């Protein structure tokens, strides 16, 4: 398995804490690491979710086709799940006759 080196490395926890000062220093280390990682994740998320500008009509058409294919794929999955589990669900629903 490949190790992910993008996150902040934090030194391992000592075996024992002797004073409140040690606990406070460890807490500060962890908070600094968490804040750095949060900043990195925010930057990556913004890069992932920003809309790109379409420079040509071909890219616009490719984006429309990609979106359409995703919607069609989702509809087909929904239909397959409906057909597969509709009979199972009908066994649990009481019918009034």
């Amino acid at each position: 398995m490949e190790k992910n080196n993008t996150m902040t490395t934090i030194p391992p926890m000592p075996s024992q804490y002797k004073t409140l000062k040690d606990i406070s220093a460890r807490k500060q280390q962890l908070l600094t690491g968490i804040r750095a990682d949060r900043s990195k994740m925010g930057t990556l998320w913004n890069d992932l979710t920003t809309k790109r500008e379409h420079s040509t009509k071909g890219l616009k058409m490719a984006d429309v086709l990609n979106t359409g294919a995703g919607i069609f794929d989702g509809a087909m999955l929904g239909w397959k799940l409906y057909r597969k589990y509709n009979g199972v669900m009908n066994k649990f629903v009481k019918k009034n006759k």
Side-chain angles (χ1 to χ4, degrees):
M1 190 164 110
E2 187 177 315
K3 186 177 179 183
N4 187 359
N5 291 329
T6 59
M7 300 308 261
T8 305
T9 56
I10 299 173
M13 184 177 76
S15 59
Q16 290 183 358
Y17 292 109
K18 304 258 186 218
T19 63
L20 288 176
K21 194 178 218 180
D22 293 341
I23 294 172
S24 178
R26 178 67 177 164
K27 180 181 174 184
Q28 192 61 38
Q29 273 183 334
L30 293 174
L31 283 174
T32 303
I34 289 170
R35 288 182 182 129
D37 289 343
R38 181 178 292 163
S39 174
K40 287 179 188 176
M41 288 190 307
T43 303
L44 292 173
W45 180 255
N46 288 336
D47 291 344
L48 183 67
T49 57
T50 55
K51 289 194 171 211
R52 61 177 186 251
E53 295 294 324
H54 299 293
S55 58
T56 63
K57 289 183 180 180
L59 289 175
K60 288 180 186 177
M61 183 59 77
D63 194 31
V64 168
L65 288 174
N66 190 19
T67 302
I71 291 170
F72 179 75
D73 188 38
M76 291 301 296
L77 175 65
W79 178 250
K80 286 179 182 179
L81 291 173
Y82 171 77
R83 289 191 36 115
K84 183 174 184 177
Y85 293 112
N86 189 30
V88 173
M89 294 305 289
N90 283 339
K91 291 180 183 177
F92 295 110
V93 177
K94 293 183 180 180
K95 294 182 181 178
N96 295 328
K97 288 187 177 184

